[in-house]
Amino acid sequence: MGALAAPTRRRLLLLGFPLWAAGALGPALTCAAQPTVRVLLMEPAGAVRVEGSAGSVTIAPAPQGLRVDARDVGDVWRIEGDDLRAGDRFRVRGALEVRRTPQGLWVVNEVALEDYVVGTLGREIYSHWSPEALKAQAVVTRTYALLQRARHARRSFHLRAGTAHQVYGGLAAETPATASAVAATRGEYLAYRGEPIEAVFHSASGGRTASAEEVWGRPVPYLVSVEVEGEEDSPDTYWRAAVAAPKLGRALAPLGIRVGPVRELRVVERSRSGRARRVEVNGPDGSATLEARDLRTALGATVIRSTLFEIRPDGDGFVFVGSGHGHGVGMSQWGAQAMAQAGASYRDILDAFYPGTSLVEGGAP
């Protein structure tokens, strides 16, 4: 597509950086009295294509800032609209902001909070699930975003669009069911002592959630271990993963564990919820002990789906037999769905997984 016409306006926003609006790419989203969140979509080292209703431009790092097609501009470039595209992955509403960084570019979407929740919900939970489960996830998603917004208020972005925070899909993730769940809970968030909580969640618990203390080493009053029923429909209720000894050795090497060919691998300590906490590795060159969560990260979270596992020898390798998916703290999504199918409201679900918190209905802080 051809280059846009020359910028129609130039203004100073956000810490005094010059922001260029390259033509009228669509009407700005009106979100009066609604907070916005800033989501880091991409971190390209080189050029990125940005598109709106009037066309597209290529934005690239320049020695003294940014280059928009053939024009050199400042360190930040911004457009607004109801249907914006960044690269080949993202369609979003609100505003797109491209910033020059020492490593290349940051592409940030500034979006109304409720639009962020709609654009995230369909990426974090099945949109065909029960309405009450979707409402519970909507409140959790909103609460998590508000906490990150408060924590990173002085940064150029509050959240990342991937699994480091919450998976954000923008317009492509919106469905009538998720939009309805967000509308039904508009502005609601979970609070503890008046502040948004750390609303973490996971796919399936394996029958009991973990406390924050046993997973991350710090107690959180509302992130305690609770029993979960009805997760049998989860594909992760029972899983197994075979790991050959050479692969295990390669995974352990970056952790500084070199015991030679692994002859024995066993759980030596478990947490209160039954999850593996520490694992011992033995080989001809010695032995070592490591955190089970570090082993899970090293082998891959899609291979070892949770730390609720047992280890069995299998020829020249080992088989992990486990249950659940994720860190196990906070709301189990499959548990929430089971509760909803049994007639529980989203308020019941939130009370069960975040005991001691309150649902604030007066709108986001």
Side-chain angles (χ1 to χ4, degrees):
M1 302 179 73
L4 292 177
T8 59
R9 55 186 174 172
R10 187 178 187 180
R11 54 193 176 170
L12 292 176
L13 292 174
L14 298 173
L15 305 178
F17 288 107
L19 305 183
W20 288 79
L25 297 193
L29 182 65
T30 300
C31 51
Q34 184 182 162
T36 60
V37 292
R38 298 172 59 80
V39 188
L40 179 66
L41 303 180
M42 307 164 61
E43 297 180 83
V48 64
R49 199 86 174 154
V50 175
E51 182 179 343
S53 60
S56 65
V57 293
T58 298
I59 305 173
Q64 301 301 319
L66 298 172
R67 179 162 294 158
V68 180
D69 287 341
R71 301 187 311 277
D72 288 334
V73 298
D75 291 334
V76 184
W77 185 90
R78 177 184 174 103
I79 55 174
E80 298 178 0
D82 287 330
D83 190 349
L84 307 172
R85 297 173 187 258
D88 298 326
R89 290 182 53 201
F90 289 99
R91 285 182 59 220
V92 298
R93 64 175 88 248
L96 278 175
E97 189 173 284
V98 182
R99 284 179 171 264
R100 181 73 163 95
T101 73
Q103 292 74 37
L105 303 175
W106 280 346
V107 182
V108 176
N109 178 207
E110 184 175 17
V111 60
L113 175 62
E114 299 303 311
D115 289 336
Y116 168 79
V117 179
V118 177
T120 301
L121 198 57
R123 290 288 187 265
E124 289 287 3
I125 197 169
Y126 295 112
S127 60
H128 65 269
W129 273 11
S130 300
E132 296 304 304
L134 294 181
K135 291 176 190 177
Q137 183 69 52
V139 174
V140 167
T141 297
R142 185 182 296 109
T143 305
Y144 185 91
L146 285 170
L147 181 65
Q148 298 305 317
R149 178 175 177 263
R151 281 180 172 172
H152 306 299
R154 296 182 180 275
R155 294 188 60 180
S156 298
F157 61 89
H158 307 132
L159 302 120
R160 294 177 181 270
T163 54
H165 286 139
Q166 297 185 118
V167 181
Y168 172 60
L171 289 169
E174 296 181 5
T175 70
T178 57
S180 177
V182 174
T185 63
R186 182 180 178 88
E188 295 181 352
Y189 65 95
L190 289 170
Y192 182 77
R193 295 181 177 175
E195 300 296 332
I197 72 164
E198 197 166 354
V200 292
F201 57 93
H202 58 282
S203 177
S205 72
R208 174 169 283 277
T209 68
S211 69
E213 183 174 15
E214 66 184 272
V215 174
W216 297 312
R218 56 183 178 86
V220 178
Y222 49 83
L223 296 178
V224 295
S225 179
V226 299
E227 187 175 356
V228 182
E229 297 181 353
E231 292 179 319
E232 292 79 7
D233 289 340
S234 166
D236 301 309
T237 293
Y238 171 83
W239 56 264
R240 54 178 293 156
V243 179
K247 179 179 179 179
L248 179 60
R250 290 192 297 271
L252 293 175
L255 301 177
I257 297 176
R258 295 176 174 85
V259 300
V262 179
R263 294 175 178 173
E264 184 182 22
L265 184 68
R266 64 191 183 97
V267 177
V268 294
E269 184 181 345
R270 292 189 180 274
S271 68
R272 291 184 177 180
S273 66
R275 288 164 170 78
R277 175 172 282 167
R278 298 170 71 231
V279 175
E280 183 179 84
V281 185
N282 293 300
D285 297 335
S287 63
T289 303
L290 71 157
E291 296 289 324
R293 62 182 179 181
D294 292 337
L295 178 62
R296 179 180 180 234
T297 300
L299 290 172
T302 59
V303 177
I304 310 301
R305 301 178 206 179
S306 77
T307 55
L308 187 59
F309 60 68
E310 295 180 354
I311 307 172
R312 302 171 184 172
D314 180 47
D316 65 345
F318 301 89
V319 171
F320 292 77
V321 179
S323 184
H325 195 172
H327 49 62
V329 184
M331 186 177 73
S332 159
Q333 293 173 311
W334 281 94
Q337 169 68 352
M339 288 184 66
Q341 289 177 318
S345 71
Y346 76 98
R347 294 169 181 262
D348 296 330
I349 294 168
L350 297 172
D351 284 343
F353 287 109
Y354 307 99
T357 64
S358 58
L359 185 66
V360 177
E361 302 179 19

